[in-house]
Each structure stands twice: as C-alpha cells, then as structure tokens.
Amino acid sequence: MDSKTRSPLAGALLVFIGTVHTALGVALFVAADQDVELTFWFTEFGVVSIGFGIAMIALERALGYVPGVVLLALGAATMFGLAFMPASGFVTVLLPLGVGSYGWWRARNARIAA
C-alpha cells in the first residue's frame, strides 16, 4: 500500500488500547472476579476499539491524517464515557484522540497554506 504517512500512530494507539482492554476483559472473565455482564462489556469495547483503530490506520495511510468527522465520533464516545465513568480507561483514549487531532490540524494547515 502506498502510505501517505510514515506511521499511523493514532490508529495504532487505539488498537493497542483495545488489545489491552480485550486481554484484561478475558482475564477478568477467566478469573471470575467480576460479573459476567461487566466482563462482556469490557471485552466488547476492547474489540470495538480494535476495529475502530484498524479503520483509523487505513484512513491515516490513505489520507495522511484522520478526518475530522472520525475524530469527532471518537471524541464524542470518549466524552460520553468520561461523563459516566470519569476514573476509567476512557482517559487513555484521549492520547490517540490528541495524536489524531494534531495530525488533522497539521494537514489542515498544509492545505490552507498551499
């Protein structure tokens, strides 16, 4: 694939966070430390994060940045999660969101300057 960016960092960070989330969900299920419903949603959000991260990687490679609408969707989901669970893993999603926003901002400024 002819990538327009050296490394799709925002998507890769989200895939990493989703992978850790999924692994912890499976570990909690096996250890039977939590309710089955809690471990299901914990693992499910990990899998969804991995899928969303893979999609972001594809966008970063194709465009050179993550489009603003995708960042808005990720930001809305993150803010919704933080509103209900402030001390949670949703805080970690701020890192790929920030990296993606920085890349979008740089690409936007380059388009304006050209």
Side-chain angles (χ1 to χ4, degrees):
M1 174 179 216
D2 187 23
S3 182
K4 292 190 177 186
T5 184
R6 287 187 307 150
S7 60
L9 189 56
L13 285 169
L14 195 56
V15 169
F16 176 75
I17 291 167
T19 302
V20 171
H21 212 269
T22 302
L24 286 173
V26 170
L28 287 172
F29 178 75
V30 170
D33 278 349
Q34 301 290 330
D35 293 334
V36 174
E37 293 86 8
L38 179 66
T39 56
F40 168 78
W41 285 112
F42 197 85
T43 306
E44 179 66 21
F45 271 98
V47 172
V48 169
S49 294
I50 292 169
F52 198 57
I54 290 169
M56 284 176 58
I57 288 171
L59 285 169
E60 282 180 286
R61 285 185 176 156
L63 302 174
Y65 61 94
V66 180
V69 69
V70 174
L71 294 170
L72 283 174
L74 181 60
T78 302
M79 292 305 125
F80 183 75
L82 286 172
F84 286 97
M85 297 180 67
S88 69
F90 281 106
V91 174
T92 63
V93 181
L94 293 174
L95 184 60
L97 186 60
V99 170
S101 296
Y102 177 70
W104 173 82
W105 186 260
R106 284 185 42 177
R108 178 186 171 273
N109 288 340
R111 285 191 310 269
I112 291 172

